[in-house]
Amino acid sequence: MRDRIKELEYFNNFINEDLARINKFKDKLERGEVKQERVFAVKAKMHDLKLGILIAKYSRGDDILTLKEDYLKLVDDWEEVWEAEYYNKILKMLSLAVLFAIEKTSVDKIKNLLEKSNIDDWLLAFLINSFSGEQTEENKNLLFCEAFYTLKKVVYKDNKIELLKEYLCKEWYNKDCGCYEAHKSKQNIYYGYWSFEAGAIAKILNIDDRNLTDAPYYPYDLVHYIK
């Protein structure tokens, strides 16, 4: 178990419930029971559920190599359900790409989606550019400055570990976070509060994060995963 908030039984139930939902959607699609104008939304929902399951499996303690295989399947299917306005999902997927150290063919798929969408954002650019070694200009636009400015400072300032701690402990999990207090819900909607973007930045910069081993929300073993 990597998560400290829920027990193993919870994540087993979460994963089984969402797998059942995916299979239900899949059956309806195969039987032609979904109106044409709803097909995209249903497929996008299935993709979202699969991403949630992947994160829940990480919280549960599943093997990283197996999780990477699940992730690569999500990348392969992403173009069909790509939504450029879904920033948080793009950030999760791109951060996981860094953490899983994915291969060039999968990187290129994500890069093409970003380029086609003309998304002008420093954080997404920094993450995708890390694969090619391309520099990202410091003055590039940051779409959600209030949420991620401290992460940007991690890249350009000297006190990197202190800023990373500040982001993780004071900024990442807050009332404006879309998943805030999900673990208190009567429904099984919680899959973990992991800050994959913080982990991705730490991995790219090779930050000495030994004192973050037990930090909340920090995916320490993923940061140190080597393909």
Side-chain angles (χ1 to χ4, degrees):
M1 287 285 293
R2 296 183 179 94
D3 188 272
R4 303 173 194 171
I5 296 176
K6 294 288 190 178
E7 301 295 331
L8 178 63
E9 183 180 1
Y10 168 84
F11 286 110
N12 288 338
N13 290 334
F14 175 98
I15 291 165
N16 289 334
E17 286 178 9
D18 277 10
L19 282 173
R21 294 174 69 190
I22 290 169
N23 288 330
K24 185 177 180 180
F25 285 136
K26 183 180 178 182
D27 289 344
K28 286 187 174 182
L29 286 169
E30 290 178 348
R31 292 196 298 264
E33 296 176 0
V34 180
K35 293 181 180 180
Q36 190 58 42
E37 62 269 22
R38 290 286 302 158
V39 169
F40 177 88
V42 170
K43 288 184 176 180
K45 181 61 177 178
M46 290 169 65
H47 197 268
D48 291 345
L49 289 171
K50 290 176 182 178
L51 177 56
I53 289 171
L54 185 152
I55 298 172
K57 286 181 177 180
Y58 177 74
S59 296
R60 185 174 67 176
D62 286 25
D63 176 70
I64 290 179
L65 185 57
T66 302
L67 296 176
K68 180 177 179 178
E69 293 172 356
D70 291 345
Y71 172 80
L72 292 174
K73 292 176 184 176
L74 284 175
V75 173
D76 289 340
D77 296 338
W78 201 10
E79 183 176 13
E80 187 180 13
V81 294
W82 171 264
E83 296 172 282
E85 68 277 11
Y86 201 168
Y87 183 89
N88 286 335
K89 180 177 181 178
I90 296 172
L91 180 58
K92 276 193 181 74
M93 287 287 289
L94 196 44
S95 298
L96 286 168
V98 173
L99 293 168
F100 283 126
I102 66 172
E103 292 72 21
K104 185 178 184 301
T105 52
S106 296
V107 173
D108 288 344
K109 290 177 182 179
I110 299 175
K111 190 172 183 179
N112 289 337
L113 291 171
L114 289 170
E115 289 177 348
K116 288 178 183 178
S117 300
N118 294 314
I119 301 174
D120 183 25
D121 176 66
W122 174 86
L123 182 52
L124 299 183
F126 180 79
L127 294 174
I128 198 67
N129 288 343
S130 70
F131 288 97
S132 62
E134 183 181 344
Q135 296 298 308
T136 306
E137 295 181 3
E138 185 176 356
N139 61 359
K140 189 173 181 63
N141 183 46
L142 184 59
L143 288 177
F144 298 94
C145 191
E146 185 174 345
F148 301 116
Y149 184 63
T150 299
L151 273 187
K152 188 173 184 179
K153 288 197 293 184
V154 171
V155 174
Y156 298 108
K157 302 295 182 181
D158 292 331
N159 56 331
K160 299 183 185 305
I161 191 66
E162 290 82 4
L163 289 166
L164 195 60
K165 283 182 182 178
E166 179 182 332
Y167 176 78
L168 286 167
C169 298
K170 298 180 181 179
E171 299 180 17
W172 159 241
Y173 181 68
N174 59 72
K175 291 182 180 180
D176 294 325
C177 178
C179 59
Y180 185 70
E181 294 195 334
H183 66 288
K184 296 181 180 179
S185 174
K186 294 180 180 179
Q187 305 298 319
N188 289 347
I189 63 172
Y190 171 77
Y191 46 68
Y193 292 135
W194 304 103
S195 178
F196 295 118
E197 69 279 1
I201 295 258
K203 186 164 191 166
I204 292 167
L205 300 176
N206 196 27
I207 293 175
D208 183 354
D209 61 354
R210 284 174 290 181
N211 60 357
L212 292 179
T213 306
D214 297 318
Y217 323 130
Y218 189 67
Y220 185 85
D221 59 347
L222 257 184
V223 174
H224 295 273
Y225 169 74
I226 301 174
K227 63 180 178 180

